[in-house]
Structures are given as C-alpha cells and as structure tokens.
Amino acid sequence: MAEAYIIDACRTPRGIGKPGKGALSHLHPQHLAATVLKAIKDRNNLDTSTVDDVIWSTSTQKGKQGGDLGRMAALAAGYDTSASGMTLDRFCGGGITSVNLATAAIMSGMEDCVIAGGTEMMSYTAQIGAEEANAGIKPMGMGSGNRELDALHPQSHQGVCGDAIAAMEGISREALDALALVSQERAARAILEGRFDKSLITVYNEDGTVALDREEFPRPETTAEGLASLKASFDAIADFDLGGTTFRKQIQRRYPDLDWKGVHHAGNSSGVVDGAGAVLITSKAYADKHGLKPRGRVVAYVNCGDDPTLMLNAPVPAAKKVLEKAGLKVEDIDVFEINEAFAVVAEKFIRDLDLDRTRVNINGGAMALGHPIGATGSMLIGTALDELERSGGRYGLVTMCAAGGMAPAIIIERLG
C-alpha cells in the first residue's frame, strides 16, 4: 500500500460554547471550517484544483451545521470547484474518522491529496437542543425509539455512564479531580510556553477584526479545593423521570447490582466549546511533485465498538487493536492523546493500559481546553504531531470514546 503522509495540521482556538457569550458563538460554523481550510491552503501554497476531496466531521448536522459543511466550507475558503467535499458523523469520534478515511483513500492509491477535519459550534447545538426539548423531541440517550434495540442495548446519558463506570471500576472522585487539576496545569504550561502556537489559527470576524486568537476556555486558577467544592452534575439527571424509567434504571437493566453516586461535575468533565481543525494528507508522489515536506505518516488506524449501555469504554480495546495492527507495544508510544470526555475515561485508559502518566495528554486535555465534538479528533492528531516534534518522540496514539459505545484510533509517526 501507498504511504499516507501528514503534511500539515492546524486548528482554531476553542471558544466558550455558550450562545452570545463565547468569542466565536456569533459566527457561522462554515466560517470556522473555512478558516482552517484557508490556512491549510495558504500555509502550504496548495493548488486546490489538485485536492481530491475534503472529508469533514460534524456531529450535529442540523440547521447551520447541516448541508455538507465540508463542501460548502471549501468553497467559502476559495477552493477550486473541482475539490469535492463530504461530511460525516461518528459522534465524538468523527474528527479521527475523517483523518482515517482520508488515510484509506491515499493508501488505496485512488486519491493523492485529501484534507480531513471537523467543526462543531456547541454554542449553536445548545440552541438546537433547547428548541428540540421545548418541542418534546427526546435527545439521544433517551432510547432509540426502536423497542427491540432498546431491549437489547438500553441507552443512557453519557455523564451518567461516566459516574456508573467510576463506581464499577472503583475510581474515586478524588482521583478524578486530581486528573482534572493536572489537565489544567498542563494546559496552562503549554499555553505559556507556546506549545500550541504552530497549529493555532486566528479567527477573524467578517469585518476583519480579531474574533479569537487564544484559548478561551482554560481555567489556570483551578485548585484542588475548588474542584472538591463543585456539586456533582449528573445525580438529578440519573433519576429524572423519563416516563416510567430513568437513566439509572436503563443502566441497571444490564447491570442490576450496580449503584452509584455522582462523581463528575463541570471541573472534571469536558468543556463545552466551539472550534474547528484540519489535517492535510497526501501520497508520497504528490508531496514530492509539489515540494511538500511530510511532518508525519499514518502508521495504522482502527475502529472499535463496545457496550453501548455504558457507552464510554471503547478507547482501551481500540488502543489495543491499533497497537496490534501497527505491530507496536504500549512502550513504543511516546505521546498518548485520550480525549477527556469525562475524567473517568482518561483515568480508566491510563490504569487499564498501565501507562506512564507523563506520556498521556502531555499538554492538557478537554477538561481544560474543551471538546468541540466533531472537531476534537482532528485537533488531537495535530496536537500529538506538534508534541512529537517538540519532544523528539517518534510515535503518537490518539483515541476517544464516542456515543453508541465506539472508539476510532490512529497511530502516527513523526518524520524528519
């Protein structure tokens, strides 16, 4: 198979995902996507008539985030009309999947230049969620609407799942809060030392003024005492009457002996933010022809499913699967990026794989920086590559949980 080279990766800063409050919340999602696509074009002097496809990830494909954001953002970024585009949804995992699909197209030899990435405006999806709730539409996690499926795999709420997994694994709130504090401290250090600067793209308003040129979500003033004082977020949700059942009962249908109290809160859960990221993938022949120096290559990628009732546990089997596919061991990986959807996801990942904590989320994670759903995976691949270049490491592994009990994973290698 042909090699799939990573030529470049970039992303926007993450803006607070609250309508009317975050620095990016007034912008159209297409504008954010076009911002990183234009940066990829300009940074690499890319002839966009040679781009075979733009593969984009957006989880909530409704309203302004609907209508094939990949294609429309490419046009908005000034790409040649011959550069086609598509948009996909693998919930939180879509940003990795977009890169994996681009990799497959290159490795197959059918395409030579593909841009992958994602966008999520959570300030906008919050509005959609409120509107649907007012209309009586059930959000995901309140059952699929298919009785047979719900009987086999009762669905729950992701935050409630996080609390349930912590109880099942014997992971204390103190351990989760400690990990959250580390995330904030590492993100603060990374920002202070400029570790994100290589990939960070300023977002401008339509009038040319700066909308956001720095991370907006981190809280470097966070303390252990402050985290300990926060009220658990999901106890009331776990026992909310859904019309004859609750989220707790949904989980207990599969795990009748399991009970728990809330351990996750705003400080040890991922931040609600807006953002976009992009990764340029090419074949060796394309890179040579156009004078592009590869920064990395994709070694292996996989997809993995796990229990949809607990929903968040697929990253560990996904990591094992991609390591086997690559012919590598845990000890070979210099940089692990495991998305901090909830602290228990990262903590379980570290414990189950017996990882050196200094190699995991080295520059902080979503508890400090935020998690713009469909964009996060692409952002993390760029973050891993930047860190490999900074530290001189060779291999990076990126994975994340996704709703429905899934996890894509990818291993990249630094070149040069």
Side-chain angles (χ1 to χ4, degrees):
M1 290 187 296
E3 296 278 18
Y5 287 126
I6 302 174
I7 303 301
D8 198 12
C10 67
R11 65 175 179 86
T12 68
R14 296 169 176 91
I16 291 172
K18 293 184 178 180
K21 295 183 178 180
L24 302 177
S25 63
H26 64 290
L27 297 172
H28 196 289
Q30 184 176 292
H31 183 83
L32 283 193
T35 294
V36 290
L37 285 172
K38 187 176 186 302
I40 285 287
K41 177 185 69 171
D42 293 346
R43 283 158 54 120
N44 298 282
N45 195 26
L46 191 64
D47 176 358
T48 58
S49 69
T50 66
V51 174
D52 293 305
D53 206 4
V54 175
I55 303 178
W56 217 247
S57 163
T58 303
S59 185
T60 301
Q61 294 180 34
K62 301 176 182 178
K64 290 190 289 187
Q65 287 197 164
D68 192 354
L69 199 59
R71 169 62 170 175
M72 304 316 292
L75 294 175
Y79 277 43
D80 191 272
T81 56
S82 64
S84 63
M86 63 167 286
T87 303
L88 62 88
D89 176 13
R90 198 193 288 274
F91 302 121
C92 297
I96 295 178
T97 294
S98 67
V99 175
N100 290 352
L101 291 178
T103 296
I106 300 299
M107 285 185 166
S108 72
M110 293 296 102
E111 294 182 334
D112 289 293
C113 178
V114 183
I115 302 171
T119 301
E120 203 81 39
M121 295 282 291
M122 297 187 75
S123 56
Y124 176 63
T125 61
Q127 292 177 332
I128 294 175
E131 291 168 1
E132 290 184 346
N134 290 334
I137 300 173
K138 291 183 178 180
M140 186 188 69
M142 291 190 179
S144 68
N146 180 309
R147 287 188 178 184
E148 291 79 10
L149 178 60
D150 289 345
L152 287 169
H153 301 293
Q155 304 295 297
S156 189
H157 180 283
Q158 289 149 313
V160 176
C161 289
D163 289 343
I165 292 167
M168 183 178 287
E169 298 291 330
I171 299 175
S172 68
R173 170 164 170 168
E174 289 74 20
L176 301 178
D177 283 356
L179 191 65
L181 183 60
V182 168
S183 185
Q184 291 287 350
E185 290 172 345
R186 290 181 175 180
R189 178 191 63 194
I191 292 168
L192 182 65
E193 295 180 0
R195 295 188 184 185
F196 300 140
D197 291 356
K198 186 172 186 177
S199 293
L200 213 59
I201 303 300
T202 298
V203 180
Y204 293 93
N205 293 310
E206 296 289 352
D207 64 4
T209 58
V210 173
L212 188 63
D213 60 1
R214 58 179 177 79
E215 300 290 354
E216 191 175 30
F217 188 79
R219 290 155 287 184
E221 72 281 1
T222 299
T223 63
E225 294 76 18
L227 290 169
S229 71
L230 295 175
K231 182 179 179 181
S233 298
F234 303 112
D235 279 334
I237 295 174
D239 297 311
F240 182 76
D241 184 2
L242 303 174
T245 189
T246 65
F247 288 129
R248 190 183 303 274
K249 290 178 180 177
Q250 293 284 68
I251 293 176
Q252 289 174 332
R253 285 170 59 189
R254 290 286 308 280
Y255 303 94
D257 298 327
L258 181 64
D259 200 8
W260 64 90
K261 65 177 181 179
V263 290
H264 287 93
H265 49 74
N268 62 20
S269 303
S270 56
V272 176
V273 295
D274 301 330
V279 183
L280 174 59
I281 312 285
T282 78
S283 65
K284 182 180 187 301
Y286 183 96
D288 290 345
K289 179 179 179 180
H290 294 273
L292 298 173
K293 183 180 179 181
R295 296 174 58 193
R297 73 177 183 98
V298 178
V299 179
Y301 73 84
V302 300
N303 299 299
C304 190
D306 200 78
D307 180 4
T309 298
L310 290 177
M311 203 179 299
L312 309 177
N313 281 339
V316 170
K320 292 179 178 178
K321 185 177 180 181
V322 77
L323 284 166
E324 182 178 0
K325 182 71 69 174
L328 296 172
K329 298 179 180 179
V330 165
E331 295 77 17
D332 296 319
I333 305 300
D334 302 290
V335 173
F336 288 91
E337 287 288 340
I338 168 67
N339 187 43
E340 297 170 348
F342 300 94
V344 74
V345 177
E347 184 65 23
K348 184 178 187 300
F349 188 82
I350 292 168
R351 294 186 184 197
D352 285 3
L353 295 174
D354 192 23
L355 299 181
D356 176 352
R357 290 176 181 267
T358 64
R359 292 187 288 148
V360 182
N361 296 353
I362 295 168
N363 295 310
M367 290 186 287
L369 296 162
H371 172 27
I373 310 298
T376 304
S378 302
M379 289 178 158
L380 292 183
I381 291 168
T383 297
L385 183 58
D386 284 347
E387 178 57 28
L388 289 171
E389 290 177 339
R390 185 196 71 82
S391 64
R394 182 176 181 182
Y395 292 116
L397 188 156
V398 183
T399 188
M400 59 201 307
C401 61
M406 299 183 289
I410 186 171
I411 292 176
I412 63 172
E413 180 183 15
R414 176 184 64 86
L415 299 177

